[in-house]
C-alpha cells in the first residue's frame, strides 16, 4: 500500500519524505488555506520534495472550467494530479482529462457507484472519504471494501486512495482490504510507527547493555 501525506504543510511533507517511504501528497483547498505561501509556489515546492503524485484540486464546478483549471495546474509539474469532485460535471471532466493523459484524483467520493463511474471515466485515483462517513454514523471502511471488490471484479486500473483517514486503524483496515493508497495526516503517519512496547523494550536493552560494558 502506498503512503501519501494529507497536508499542504511543507515542513510536515519534508519530515515525512525523510522517512523514505512517502509515495505522494494530497492537498485540498482547505489544507492550502492554512498555509501562508501562495498556492502555486507552494505546490511547486511540494512537487520538488516528493517525486510521486501531488494532488491539487480544481474549484470550478462546470466541466469546461474544471478542464481549464486542470490544464493550468498540470503545468506546475509533471507529478501534479488534478482533484476533481465526484459530480456529473466532474465525471465528464475526468473522461476528457484521461484522454489528454492528465492524472486525476476523484475527490469527495461517498458511494460505490460514484467510484464505479470514476473508473469507467478513466480516473487515475478515486478518493472515498472514510472519516467523514464515520462522522455521520456510516462505517466508512465498508465503502472501501465495496470499491476494492467492484474494481477487482472488472479489472479496473483506477487506484483506490483511502482519504479522510483519522486514525491508525483506518490505515490497518485499508491495507487488509487491499486499497492501493492511504493518504494520512502527519499525526497518523507518526502514530503508525509508535508502539509503547517498542519504547519499553528498547530502554531495557540499552540499560542492560550498560551493564555489559561495565562488566
Ligand atoms: C483527501 O484527499 C482529503 O484531502 C482529506 O483526506 C480530507 O480529510 P478530512 O475529512 O479529514 O478533511
Amino acid at each position: 500500500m502506498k503512503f501519501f501525506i494529507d497536508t499542504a504543510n511543507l515542513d510536515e511533507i519534508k519530515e515525512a519524505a525523510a522517512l523514505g517511504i512517502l509515495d505522494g501528497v494530497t492537498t485540498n483547498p482547505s489544507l492550502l488555506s492554512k498555509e501562508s505561501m501562495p498556492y502555486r509556489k507552494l505546490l511547486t515546492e511540494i512537487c520538488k520534495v516528493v517525486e510521486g503524485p501531488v494532488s491539487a484540486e480544481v474549484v470550478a464546478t462546470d466541466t469546461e472550467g474544471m478542464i481549464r483549471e486542470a490544464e493550468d495546474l498540470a503545468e506546475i509539474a509533471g507529478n501534479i494530479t488534478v482533484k476533481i469532485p465526484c459530480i456529473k460535471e466532474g465525471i465528464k471532466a475526468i473522461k476528457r482529462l484521461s484522454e489528454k493523459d492528465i492524472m486525476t484524483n476523484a475527490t469527495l467520493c461517498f458511494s460505490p457507484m460514484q467510484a464505479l463511474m470514476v473508473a469507467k471515466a478513466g480516473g487515475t485515483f478515486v478518493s472515498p472519504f472514510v472519516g467523514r462517513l464515520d462522522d455521520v454514523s456510516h462505517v466508512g471502511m465498508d465503502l472501501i471494501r465495496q470499491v476494492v471488490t467492484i474494481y477487482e471484479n472488472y479489472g479496473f486500473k483506477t487506484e483506490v486512495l483511502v482519504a479522510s483517514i483519522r486514525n491508525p486503524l483506518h490505515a490497518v483496515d485499508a491495507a487488509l482490504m487491499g486499497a492501493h493508497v492511504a493518504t494520512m495526516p502527519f499525526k497518523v503517519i507518526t502514530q503508525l510507527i509508535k508502539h509503547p512496547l517498542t519504547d519499553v523494550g528498547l530502554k531495557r536493552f540499552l540499560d542492560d547493555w550498560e551493564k555489559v560494558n561495565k562488566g
Side-chain angles (χ1 to χ4, degrees):
M1 184 171 72
K2 293 174 205 162
F3 277 22
F4 286 9
I5 188 166
D6 193 32
T7 184
N9 184 278
L10 202 50
D11 291 335
E12 288 183 347
I13 292 167
K14 283 180 182 167
E15 202 172 331
L19 291 171
I21 54 158
L22 187 67
D23 302 298
V25 179
T26 50
T27 71
N28 63 40
S30 306
L31 293 170
L32 285 165
S33 75
K34 292 182 192 164
E35 306 303 318
S36 52
M37 206 184 282
Y39 83 94
R40 271 192 99 81
K41 182 167 164 40
L42 183 52
L43 288 169
T44 306
E45 292 305 313
I46 294 171
C47 288
K48 283 183 197 159
V49 175
V50 179
E51 278 181 21
V54 173
S55 288
E57 190 159 339
V58 299
V59 289
T61 52
D62 63 296
T63 304
E64 295 308 321
M66 287 176 185
I67 291 169
R68 264 196 308 278
E69 284 183 24
E71 287 175 334
D72 183 51
L73 288 167
E75 292 281 306
I76 294 175
N79 52 337
I80 285 282
T81 303
V82 183
K83 262 185 166 177
I84 307 274
C86 279
I87 57 176
K88 198 172 57 174
E89 295 75 10
I91 296 297
K92 291 186 208 166
I94 289 168
K95 176 74 180 166
R96 299 251 306 270
L97 291 167
S98 79
E99 288 160 1
K100 291 171 186 271
D101 283 334
I102 292 181
M103 289 193 293
T104 54
N105 174 0
T107 189
L108 293 166
C109 171
F110 293 100
S111 85
M113 285 303 108
Q114 285 179 318
L116 178 55
M117 290 178 85
V118 168
K120 284 172 72 71
T124 316
F125 299 100
V126 67
S127 285
F129 275 35
V130 296
R132 292 193 195 186
L133 279 169
D134 291 353
D135 290 345
V136 293
S137 305
H138 285 256
V139 181
M141 292 310 297
D142 283 352
L143 175 58
I144 302 302
R145 190 180 293 106
Q146 291 173 328
V147 177
V148 167
T149 302
I150 290 168
Y151 282 13
E152 279 175 5
N153 285 348
Y154 298 102
F156 285 117
K157 290 201 176 72
T158 304
E159 295 195 19
V160 180
L161 192 167
V162 184
S164 188
I165 283 182
R166 303 274 169 80
N167 58 61
L169 279 182
H170 280 146
V172 173
D173 287 339
L176 287 170
M177 288 172 192
H180 304 88
V181 189
T183 190
M184 297 166 275
F186 182 70
K187 182 178 161 218
V188 175
I189 293 179
T190 54
Q191 283 173 326
L192 295 185
I193 186 69
K194 191 82 180 152
H195 199 292
L197 288 179
T198 305
D199 296 341
V200 169
L202 179 61
K203 182 173 182 330
R204 193 178 303 158
F205 284 150
L206 294 177
D207 289 348
D208 288 343
W209 188 246
E210 284 296 310
K211 294 174 205 160
V212 172
N213 283 339
K214 276 180 191 148

